[in-house]
Amino acid sequence: MIVLERIAAVRARCDEAVRAGKSVGLVPTMGYLHEGHRTLMRAARAENDLVVVTLFVNPTQFGPNEDLASYPRDPEGDARVVTEEGVDVLFAPSVAEMYPRPGLTHVTVDEVTDGLCGASRPHHFVGVATVVTKLFSIVGPCTAYFGKKDFQQLVVVRRLVEDLNLPITVVGVSTVREPDGLALSSRNAYLAPDDRPAATVLYRALECAIATVKEGERDPVAVRAAAVTLVEREPLAQFDYLEVRRADDLAEVEHLDDGVEHVIALAVFLNTTRLIDNATFTVDGAAVHYDLPGRSPVAQEH
Ligand code: AMP
């Protein structure tokens, strides 16, 4: 594993691999790596000759009152994780390397960024789409691995790759969770011990929504209402949003039609920590196929 800080060095490595007929796998991250990130790396390692992980806390995707300054960092721990996962290159550029001067060019993806996290974080997805496009341009043709945990981000990235004809294959990887259902996130480090049990409210709300669909409810307003009620009953949680949308383009829907993939996505504050989660599901007659694993039996006892 080598750590590279310069764009030119990463570009040279990736170009060389592609010229030699090798495949490149890319895993963009902001570091403080956990099992969710490891799962992306394992998928990339299994399917590619050269695996590049990027570690960059991108300032342009944080709002003025967000957690850029306090975002958890552990460069030594991260280097250990990528070594353990057999990654070839860790690209860890400085802010000056990525933005030698303020960028005048921005990648804006319309419509799919309108609601959900886009509503409470107005400039977030311009920052994400722009930095991801820069990373794609640096690494070149590759398969890029993104977590479904950040579902709207995945939709944004898929769409920008499609719209701009980028030579990138995007792979979405299922969310890795704690035994009690909490989705792993670097921001879980902010949770006070007292808030930690309440943080399962996101998972419980998703469980409730899926159960409501399984009971036969096909009105997204009713599904949403059931899950919102559950969030509102958690005294330590402050509701940000909860929406049921079509998964492909995050369009609002009036009915949960058969054969169409939907997503239920939410964001909740626990004190000042904002957590997000989601589950995708498809109605198939009386059956419902969904991407939300059960809690482990041990966690269910508590
Ligand atoms: P981040 O470092 O939070 O920007 O995340 C880097 C990548 O890891 C993104 O594609 C995330 O969606 C993905 N990721 C974060 N948490 C998880 C998780 N619990 N399970 C799967 N992927 C995740």
Side-chain angles (χ1 to χ4, degrees):
M1 197 281 289
I2 52 163
V3 181
L4 298 176
E5 295 176 358
R6 306 308 299 257
I7 289 170
V10 176
R11 181 169 272 151
R13 283 261 162 171
C14 295
D15 283 355
E16 188 191 322
V18 170
R19 267 200 309 276
K22 295 187 169 153
S23 60
V24 179
L26 170 66
V27 181
T29 83
M30 298 204 300
Y32 211 70
L33 302 173
H34 52 64
E35 199 59 32
H37 299 114
R38 282 185 189 262
T39 305
L40 302 186
M41 290 177 214
R42 282 176 207 147
R45 183 69 283 167
E47 295 167 6
N48 297 279
D49 300 309
L50 182 79
V51 175
V52 180
V53 170
T54 68
L55 193 178
F56 183 60
V57 182
N58 174 40
T60 68
Q61 70 192 64
F62 287 79
N65 299 315
E66 293 184 353
D67 56 343
L68 174 61
S70 60
Y71 196 82
R73 292 169 202 245
D74 179 12
E76 286 89 33
D78 291 346
R80 228 176 11 251
V81 170
V82 298
T83 305
E84 284 167 12
E85 296 303 334
V87 167
D88 301 299
V89 175
L90 177 61
F91 176 40
S94 64
V95 173
E97 178 72 4
M98 289 298 279
Y99 303 105
R101 51 183 177 164
L104 301 180
T105 308
H106 304 284
V107 179
T108 307
V109 185
D110 295 332
E111 293 184 21
V112 295
T113 56
D114 282 349
L116 312 177
C117 287
S120 39
R121 307 186 72 190
H123 306 292
H124 173 67
F125 286 114
V126 175
V128 169
T130 304
V131 80
V132 167
T133 304
K134 283 163 76 76
L135 294 175
F136 288 165
S137 155
I138 293 163
V139 168
C142 68
T143 302
Y145 297 80
F146 289 85
K148 290 188 188 169
K149 151 84 168 36
D150 300 277
F151 195 81
Q152 192 171 17
Q153 170 174 280
L154 177 61
V155 172
V156 167
V157 172
R158 282 194 197 285
R159 196 56 198 251
L160 82 85
V161 164
E162 181 185 328
D163 288 351
L164 300 179
N165 304 101
L166 301 183
I168 310 288
T169 303
V170 178
V171 173
V173 178
S174 289
T175 302
V176 179
R177 300 174 179 280
E178 299 282 5
D180 67 0
L182 176 66
L184 297 191
S185 164
S186 306
R187 290 189 168 100
N188 292 352
Y190 299 147
L191 290 170
D194 288 351
D195 291 338
R196 175 61 186 81
T200 59
V201 69
L202 291 96
Y203 177 82
R204 287 183 276 126
L206 295 174
E207 251 185 352
C208 165
I210 298 287
T212 308
V213 181
K214 279 163 97 176
E215 281 159 17
E217 185 57 74
R218 298 291 180 264
D219 176 2
V221 174
V223 173
R224 177 181 184 278
V228 168
T229 304
L230 191 145
V231 175
E232 286 175 346
R233 266 199 251 121
E234 173 55 64
L236 294 178
Q238 259 215 310
F239 181 82
D240 183 5
Y241 73 77
L242 193 154
E243 300 290 342
V244 180
R245 299 286 182 96
R246 190 162 60 197
D248 174 56
D249 57 2
L250 303 180
E252 291 181 28
V253 288
E254 290 183 357
H255 185 264
L256 302 176
D257 289 338
D258 266 37
V260 177
E261 190 181 32
H262 293 91
V263 62
I264 170 149
L266 78 164
V268 166
F269 283 96
L270 289 138
N271 268 311
T272 51
T273 305
R274 184 174 174 280
L275 300 178
I276 60 171
D277 204 347
N278 71 82
T280 51
F281 64 93
T282 307
V283 173
D284 176 9
V288 184
H289 308 293
Y290 56 94
D291 188 4
L292 187 72
R295 271 180 272 187
S296 83
V298 176
Q300 270 174 4
E301 284 168 17
H302 295 284

